[in-house]
Amino acid sequence: MNPAAEEQAFDYVGIALGRSVEGDALAEAMAEVEGVEVVPQQTFWEIKARARLRLDFEVLSEATGFDVDSEMIQVLMTTYYGRIINTDDAILLFHDPIEAAEHM
C-alpha cells in the first residue's frame, strides 16, 4: 500500500452516539457541519471527520432545541477515536497528539 493512502486511512477522528431522541437530534445537527460525516449504523451514529472534530455546545444547543453539554454527550457517546479534549464550550477530537496538547 502506498504511504499516502495508508496515512489517509487512519487520519479520521470521531465518536459513536447511541440512537435515541437526543442522539438522533445531535447526529442530524452534526450532519450540517462542514467536513463532518454522519454514518448511520443499526444502533448508533458514527460521527467522524478528518484530522479534527469539534462538537460545539452552543451550536448544538441551538440546532437541537435543548441544552447540550459535555455531560450529555458523554452519556450518549458509546466510544470515540482520536485524542479527546473537554473544554467549557466544546468537545474536541484530534488526530495529531501535538495539536491536542495545545488545547490542554
Side-chain angles (χ1 to χ4, degrees):
M1 179 178 249
N2 108 26
E6 189 173 310
E7 181 180 329
Q8 289 178 356
F10 298 104
D11 66 349
Y12 277 95
V13 296
I15 65 170
L17 291 178
R19 286 191 177 243
S20 65
V21 171
E22 296 87 355
D24 295 354
L26 288 171
E28 186 177 314
M30 288 302 297
E32 300 298 317
V33 177
E34 185 176 338
V36 173
E37 296 177 49
V38 176
V39 182
Q41 302 293 340
Q42 189 169 4
T43 59
F44 65 92
W45 297 98
E46 180 182 8
I47 300 170
K48 65 182 184 174
R50 288 195 178 268
R52 67 191 58 80
L53 177 64
R54 178 182 176 91
L55 291 98
D56 185 290
F57 305 144
E58 184 176 337
V59 170
L60 292 172
S61 293
E62 288 178 19
T64 61
F66 52 82
D67 189 36
V68 176
D69 59 13
S70 178
E71 185 175 308
M72 174 193 219
I73 291 174
Q74 289 180 35
V75 167
L76 296 171
M77 181 172 57
T78 60
T79 192
Y80 69 90
Y81 47 102
R83 284 82 179 170
I84 192 167
I85 306 290
N86 271 320
T87 70
D88 292 338
D89 303 322
I91 291 180
L92 312 169
L93 289 110
F94 298 95
H95 173 70
D96 180 3
I98 294 171
E99 185 178 4
E102 294 171 1
H103 293 275
M104 295 178 90

